[in-house]
């Protein structure tokens, strides 16, 4: 999987290095082409140059194709991994279809991939129509430009990429619900994950039958969106550089939009660099947690965060098992969540340390940049293009690891689960 994404990044970088890819007709710097390609394939949205101003139409189309390929690739692979893990059968046996069992077959693989592609394209088409209408009727763009911007932002939002053809992202539409809400809806849909979306379609009115995955994803998504909206809005309510100059309704719309984008989308309708320390910290946390598993969102995933919360709750109550709804979560699943979370924290801390040494920016801004890159978010306080080549290289690696790492690690841990034939003597140690 890593090889395939790396190949896509290199191909994209080569295409973006062509003179025809830039508006000026000159070759882009290698670091700019590689950074943009990595950000597009990993559906992040961090940029070192202005997407709409620096790249030509050809360059923007290359970026759009890379976003689509990266988003579909991650969603497809993540969903197939989820099926493999849940069915507890080796990948080799499945792909060769050697055993006549009730597990995943090649026919099932084709069906899953077909449904993912169909769902993605239909969702993007619906959002593209809504945005085209908003741009054409509400902002007096020409029909051709409205269609182009509508399609670009629809693909970018559903795949949680955060690329925009506007130099100010979506700040010019901060009070326009006809633009902000379709984009937010696409981000949420893409970030929920394919398995959750289709389970909700089958049993939306029967929450008692939901799987542990769907129960945790839906509960945490709604909770984090609500908490993020309230926290960011209240923190920035009187800040004249962000929400202070807006009306009451527009403030809550902007706060909700900022909370949704922190799920790893990367668009912004307010100036991120002008946000206060409180809202930046809230955004850091939301970016690190990310969205749902087997979707286009990044981060450690709400399922990992939610599962650890259930583990803590069970420990506080003195219970020997962790239960979600009417299901008991195996201890191996709990260890996997802990491993993903701790390794992710270590990765962000190491990257922050390296970026601090490579730049003269404050810890607050550097940590925000590192969390954004690892969570494949794309939000920035404006320091991305100011970082030296080494710092930008760190972000490139961080985006790639953030996109591939948690999924690969979680799947590898799950598929390597094995039973030991012996147990060592038990000895407790002091904790805390």
């Amino acid at each position: 999987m890593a090889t395939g994404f790396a190949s896509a990044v290199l191909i994209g970088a080569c295409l973006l290095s062509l003179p025809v890819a830039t508006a000026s007709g000159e070759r882009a710097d290698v670091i700019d082409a590689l950074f943009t390609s990595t950000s597009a394939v990993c559906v992040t949205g961090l940029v070192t140059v202005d997407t709409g101003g620096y790249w030509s139409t050809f360059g923007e189309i290359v970026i759009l194709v890379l976003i689509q390929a990266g988003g579909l690739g991650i969603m497809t692979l993540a969903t197939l991994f989820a099926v493999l893990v849940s069915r507890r059968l080796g990948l080799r046996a499945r792909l060769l279809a050697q055993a006549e069992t009730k597990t995943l077959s090649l026919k099932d693989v084709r069906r899953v991939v077909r449904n993912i592609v169909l769902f993605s394209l239909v969702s993007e088409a619906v959002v593209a129509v809504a945005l085209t209408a908003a741009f054409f009727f509400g902002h007096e763009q020409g029909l051709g430009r409205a269609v182009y911007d509508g399609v670009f932002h629809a693909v970018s939002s559903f795949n949680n990429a955060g690329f925009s053809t506007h130099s100010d992202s979506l700040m010019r539409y901060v009070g326009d619900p006809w633009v902000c809400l379709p984009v937010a809806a696409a981000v949420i849909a893409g970030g929920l994950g394919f398995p959750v979306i289709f389970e909700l379609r089958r049993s939306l009115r029967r929450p008692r039958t939901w799987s542990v995955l769907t129960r945790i994803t839906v509960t945490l998504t709604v909770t984090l969106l609500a908490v993020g909206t309230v926290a960011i809005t209240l923190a920035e309510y009187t800040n004249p550089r962000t929400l202070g100059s807006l009306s009451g309704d527009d403030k809550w719309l902007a706060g909700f939009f900022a909370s949704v984008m922190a799920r790893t989308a990367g668009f912004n309708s307010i100036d991120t660099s002008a946000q206060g320390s409180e809202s930046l910290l809230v955004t850091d946390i939301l970016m690190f947690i990310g969205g749902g598993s087997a979707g286009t969102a990044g981060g450690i995933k709400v399922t990992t965060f939610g599962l650890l919360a259930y583990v803590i709750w069970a420990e506080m109550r003195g219970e020997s098992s962790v239960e979600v709804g009417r299901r008991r979560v195996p201890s191996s699943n709990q260890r996997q969540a802990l491993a993903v979370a701790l390794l992710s924290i270590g990765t962000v801390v190491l990257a922050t340390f390296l970026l601090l040494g490579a730049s003269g920016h404050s810890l607050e801004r550097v940590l925000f940049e590192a969390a954004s890159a690892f969570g494949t978010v794309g939000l920035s306080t404006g320091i991305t293009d100011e970082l030296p080549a080494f710092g930008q290289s760190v972000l490139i690696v961080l985006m790639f690891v953030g996109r591939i790492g948690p999924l690969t690690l979680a799947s590898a841990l799950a598929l390597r689960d094995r039973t030991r034939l012996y147990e060592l003597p038990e000895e407790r140690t002091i904790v805390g």
Side-chain angles (χ1 to χ4, degrees), residues 71-197:
L72 282 177
I74 277 292
M75 184 176 277
T76 302
L77 291 173
T79 301
L80 293 180
F81 269 129
V83 175
L84 291 175
V85 170
S86 64
R87 300 294 182 83
R88 301 286 301 262
L89 187 64
L91 176 61
R92 189 180 189 84
R94 292 177 185 282
L95 295 182
L96 296 177
Q98 293 177 338
E100 293 183 0
T101 64
K102 295 181 181 180
T103 57
L104 186 68
S105 66
L106 287 177
K107 181 179 179 180
D108 295 322
V109 172
R110 289 193 296 268
R111 177 176 55 82
V112 169
V113 173
R114 183 186 68 245
N115 288 342
I116 290 174
V117 173
L118 183 62
F119 171 71
S120 300
L121 296 181
V122 169
S123 299
E124 291 168 357
V126 171
V127 176
V129 170
L131 291 178
T132 297
F135 294 146
F136 181 71
F137 293 107
H139 298 277
E140 299 181 351
Q141 289 187 1
L143 181 59
R145 186 66 199 184
V147 171
Y148 181 80
D149 282 352
V151 171
F152 191 97
H153 288 88
V155 174
S156 184
S157 58
F158 179 80
N159 289 287
N160 281 218
F163 279 87
S164 175
T165 54
H166 306 311
S167 58
D168 62 351
S169 190
L170 298 181
M171 289 176 60
R172 65 187 66 183
Y173 307 116
V174 61
D176 188 350
W178 299 103
V179 173
C180 292
L181 292 183
V183 170
V187 169
I188 294 173
L192 280 177
F194 181 80
V196 173
I197 288 289

Side-chain angles (χ1 to χ4, degrees), residues 241-276:
R241 300 174 61 192
T242 54
L243 302 183
S245 60
L246 302 177
S247 65
D249 292 341
D250 289 349
K251 287 181 180 180
W252 287 104
L253 174 62
F256 171 73
F257 191 81
S259 179
V260 174
M261 295 308 112
R263 288 176 53 80
T264 74
F267 294 107
N268 61 287
S269 63
I270 58 176
D271 187 358
T272 306
S273 64
Q275 289 182 227

Side-chain angles (χ1 to χ4, degrees), residues 5-33:
F5 274 82
S7 300
V9 168
L10 292 177
I11 293 173
C14 291
L15 292 174
L16 292 176
S17 296
L18 298 175
V20 70
T22 64
S24 64
E26 300 178 354
R27 286 186 178 276
D29 290 340
V30 174
I31 188 68
D32 290 331

Side-chain angles (χ1 to χ4, degrees), residues 379-414:
L379 292 173
S380 175
T381 57
I383 69 172
T384 310
D385 58 341
E386 299 175 3
L387 294 173
F390 174 76
Q392 293 177 354
S393 299
V394 170
L395 291 182
I396 289 174
V397 174
L398 197 55
M399 287 188 291
F400 192 82
V401 171
R403 181 75 277 179
I404 305 299
L407 171 62
T408 303
L409 175 61
S411 302
L413 290 174

